[in-house]
Amino acid sequence: MVPVIVAENLKKSFKDLVAVDNIRFTIEEGEMFGFLGPNGAGKTTVMRMIQCVSPVTSGSLEMFGMDATSHPREIKSLMGVVPQENNLDIDFTVHENLMVYSRYYDIPREKAKERVDELLDFVQLKDKKDTMTENLSGGMKRRLILARALVNQPRMLILDEPTVGLDPQARHLIWDRLRLLKKQGVTVVLTSHYLDEVEKLCDRLVVMDNGKILVEGSPSSVIEKYVGSGIVEAENNPELVECLNRKEASYEIIGDLVHIYTDDPKHITEYLTMVCSVSKISARPATLEDVFLKITGRRLRE
């Protein structure tokens, strides 16, 4: 695969605030790549630099083999953007929103009509084409914004919290559309603080905090490397901790709970139940939340 984005020692500062602190990452063509982290981690700032709307303070950022600083217009023409906010024009219908947007790319009117009809079918809004935008549900608005981002047939799609505030059904519909785009060869870059979203969609991801990249890899490899495949949770008590130390188990004490990291949750659960006093013990698959908690000592969505 060919790199679509290459960032080297990328930094963004706002006076004394360092929002992005000398990070490196590469995104391959056709990949679905995620930026995961809490609010204020630097995710949106990275996205704004990728969109060529916020200048790089230092380091380098190349997209499609072009420097983001010297070729912003050319780069923008090759990407589509789905922002966090719903910034549709409420004075237009669904169809008119897309037609007006097509003018920014000098798409001939007849070709634009054809393209808009295809996109409304793609995002399942064809029956809403004459509906005023303000009358759409939240999920429909997000789908329309996705369609708008695809008007210019971009090679790369940028999504900043694409399903924030949506109900599960609306979120899954967006996920299905993104998977179809990936199959068509579109490179998809997204930020999210929804763990299941990143785990289910992304080929690779980075976890950010305080402007830095903490970990990078596929969701499964990151989870396996840092916490193992499973988590056993039990109420904290001195006897339990002594048992874990004797077994040389990997664990963290988090408030009133002990998190035991293991590739064999069943064995650990049976062992602890037999050899020491333990109550309210349970096992579950490990998640990216556990990775963030282990590395930073904080929950991702505090």
Side-chain angles (χ1 to χ4, degrees):
M1 290 189 290
V2 179
V4 171
I5 301 179
V6 179
E8 292 286 346
N9 299 319
L10 186 62
K11 184 175 182 178
K12 179 65 182 182
S13 300
F14 300 94
K15 295 185 178 179
D16 295 332
L17 173 66
V18 179
V20 177
D21 193 2
N22 290 304
I23 66 172
R24 297 181 177 186
F25 61 90
T26 300
I27 300 176
E28 307 291 341
E29 186 173 8
E31 190 173 31
M32 197 175 298
F33 191 96
F35 288 84
L36 180 67
N39 292 333
K43 309 185 304 294
T44 297
T45 303
V46 172
M47 297 296 258
R48 287 178 58 79
M49 286 190 282
I50 290 174
Q51 294 169 39
C52 301
V53 297
S54 182
V56 173
T57 300
S58 63
S60 65
L61 178 62
E62 288 190 357
M63 287 171 281
F64 308 105
M66 297 178 282
D67 183 79
T69 301
S70 56
H71 294 84
R73 184 182 295 273
E74 296 91 334
I75 291 170
K76 286 180 181 180
S77 70
L78 299 173
M79 68 171 64
V81 177
V82 176
Q84 281 191 43
E85 67 278 3
N86 287 337
N87 58 354
L88 296 163
D89 196 321
I90 62 173
D91 295 323
F92 292 147
T93 65
V94 166
H95 189 269
E96 288 168 343
N97 259 276
L98 300 187
M99 287 298 296
V100 169
Y101 196 70
S102 71
R103 297 176 191 170
Y104 296 122
Y105 295 96
D106 296 322
I107 301 173
R109 184 171 178 81
E110 290 306 312
K111 186 176 180 180
K113 284 183 179 179
E114 182 180 338
R115 178 68 178 154
V116 167
D117 285 342
E118 291 173 353
L119 288 171
L120 290 179
D121 190 43
F122 179 74
V123 298
Q124 299 181 14
L125 287 176
K126 207 162 190 176
D127 61 335
K128 299 290 183 181
K129 64 180 296 184
D130 296 321
T131 301
M132 297 301 294
T133 307
E134 64 179 339
N135 295 327
L136 298 177
S137 67
M140 290 177 181
K141 288 177 181 177
R142 295 307 289 171
R143 280 147 55 193
L144 181 56
I145 291 173
L146 174 60
R148 187 185 65 184
L150 299 171
V151 162
N152 62 321
Q153 296 180 295
R155 289 174 55 187
M156 179 168 64
L157 183 64
I158 309 296
L159 305 104
D160 197 358
E161 302 286 357
T163 63
V164 65
L166 298 187
D167 61 61
Q169 183 177 357
R171 290 180 68 206
H172 281 88
L173 200 152
I174 294 286
W175 292 357
D176 288 342
R177 300 303 95 181
L178 296 181
R179 292 187 182 106
L180 284 173
L181 289 168
K182 183 179 183 300
K183 287 181 180 178
Q184 295 170 10
V186 178
T187 303
V188 180
V189 183
L190 63 90
T191 73
S192 182
H193 61 268
Y194 290 129
L195 303 169
D196 56 343
E197 186 159 89
V198 174
E199 287 184 33
K200 286 180 171 65
L201 291 177
C202 294
D203 302 303
R204 289 191 303 126
L205 61 92
V206 293
V207 179
M208 292 189 67
D209 192 34
N210 295 320
K212 295 181 179 292
I213 290 176
L214 305 181
V215 298
E216 179 178 356
S218 69
S220 59
S221 68
V222 166
I223 292 169
E224 185 70 28
K225 178 179 179 181
Y226 287 92
V227 296
S229 60
I231 300 287
V232 174
E233 290 182 337
E235 285 193 344
N236 182 23
N237 68 64
E239 185 181 353
L240 171 63
V241 172
E242 185 179 340
C243 290
L244 291 172
N245 288 335
R246 285 201 306 267
K247 195 170 178 59
E248 297 183 347
S250 175
Y251 68 90
E252 298 273 355
I253 298 174
I254 303 166
D256 295 330
L257 293 176
V258 177
H259 277 198
I260 304 131
Y261 307 113
T262 175
D263 290 326
D264 192 352
K266 182 179 179 182
H267 170 73
I268 286 290
T269 301
E270 291 175 348
Y271 168 80
L272 294 175
T273 303
M274 286 189 300
V275 304
C276 65
S277 175
V278 61
S279 61
K280 294 185 179 179
I281 188 168
S282 62
R284 59 174 175 79
T287 68
L288 290 168
E289 176 77 66
D290 299 308
V291 174
F292 189 81
L293 182 60
K294 185 172 184 181
I295 293 172
T296 68
R298 296 183 289 111
R299 294 192 180 276
L300 189 60
R301 289 177 286 177
E302 286 184 331

